[in-house]
Amino acid sequence: EVIRQADPDLVALQEVDFRTERARKMDLTGELAQLTGLVPLFGRAMPFDGGEYGEGVLSRYSFIYTRNHPLPAREGKEPRAALEVQVKLKSGDTISFIGTHLDHTQDDQDRINQALELNALFALGNRPTILCGDLNARPESPCISILFSEWTGASPDRAPTFPSMNPVHKIDYVLYRPINRWRVIESRVICDTIASDHCAQLSVLELLSPPSAEVF
């Protein structure tokens, strides 16, 4: 119901079960797609509980390209991934959309390594790109500083997103690049304690025309 009411074009889901015992062998991304009328994609971060566990994306558009990118994690740490899709909008423009979930432990090193990898993977070209998810990092952290060197945050007010009951920390983000291709129309936090233990970050972004090149 939270997704239906937001009426989004794209949704990034984290901590998603795929055919695990605890999820009664259901494909939870697929179940949400059936309930919302969106197109599903699941990307595995690791095997878990007789099935798999990782990221999910829901989309109003069909996918023209998908890839699940493993992110660096030191021995003994939980594997992480970044699930990338490319979609063609009604305007004919192609954008990339990435959902991810970074390391949750107190030590920053894996989050730093994962942020550097995200920049290396997705911050090189000029394709309009949105990166979002549970980054497990506060705005003043080294991880976010690394990402903000290449990306712009869609929620400058730093509204807290965790926990969903009386949130006190901002650890969930919507980021975009390049800065001259997007305009933020709206950004707000949606808290629902039944839907998730995190508040949802809703951002409405307008894709702008590329700047014209003039030769003198």
Side-chain angles (χ1 to χ4, degrees):
E1 188 60 25
V2 169
I3 295 171
R4 278 203 211 118
Q5 288 186 6
D7 193 27
D9 293 314
L10 292 153
V11 182
L13 306 166
Q14 297 85 53
E15 301 186 41
V16 181
D17 280 21
F18 177 82
R19 304 197 184 283
T20 61
E21 295 294 340
R22 69 180 180 182
R24 302 179 184 178
K25 291 296 183 179
M26 291 190 293
D27 166 10
L28 294 187
T29 310
E31 292 288 330
L32 282 172
Q34 289 289 327
L35 292 168
T36 59
L38 299 173
V39 180
L41 181 70
F42 172 79
R44 183 179 82 170
M46 65 177 185
F48 179 76
D49 192 28
E52 300 175 359
Y53 177 78
E55 313 304 312
V57 167
L58 301 175
S59 173
R60 189 175 302 277
Y61 309 99
S62 62
F63 304 122
I64 59 175
Y65 172 86
T66 67
R67 185 171 177 181
N68 193 33
H69 304 263
L71 297 178
R74 291 174 295 172
E75 186 175 355
K77 291 294 192 77
E78 190 175 289
R80 302 293 182 172
L83 183 58
E84 176 191 10
V85 304
Q86 290 179 16
V87 298
K88 182 174 285 189
L89 307 181
K90 291 179 181 178
S91 63
D93 296 287
T94 297
I95 68 166
S96 291
F97 180 83
I98 303 111
T100 193
H101 179 207
L102 302 191
D103 182 72
H104 67 289
T105 58
Q106 188 171 0
D107 182 355
D108 272 345
Q109 191 57 57
D110 279 85
R111 279 187 297 279
I112 290 171
N113 293 343
Q114 290 160 4
L116 290 168
E117 181 70 5
L118 289 171
N119 283 352
L121 286 169
F122 305 118
L124 296 178
N126 291 319
R127 176 181 289 115
T129 302
I130 299 170
L131 169 67
C132 51
D134 173 7
L135 305 185
N136 277 311
R138 299 184 191 182
E140 67 276 8
S141 67
C143 166
I144 300 303
S145 294
I146 290 166
L147 290 171
F148 275 20
S149 69
E150 298 288 349
W151 305 81
T152 303
S155 51
D157 59 356
R158 298 188 176 188
T161 61
F162 180 81
S164 55
M165 181 179 289
N166 302 319
V168 293
H169 302 300
K170 178 168 182 60
I171 58 174
D172 303 272
Y173 299 81
V174 174
L175 311 178
Y176 60 87
R177 70 177 309 278
I179 190 171
N180 63 352
R181 293 300 310 276
W182 297 99
R183 177 162 54 223
V184 180
I185 304 299
E186 178 188 2
S187 190
R188 60 187 171 94
V189 169
I190 303 170
C191 293
D192 186 300
T193 57
I194 295 174
S196 176
D197 61 335
H198 291 239
C199 300
Q201 179 72 57
L202 172 65
S203 295
V204 181
L205 304 178
E206 179 185 4
L207 181 63
L208 305 175
S209 300
S212 59
E214 296 185 11
V215 179
F216 296 94

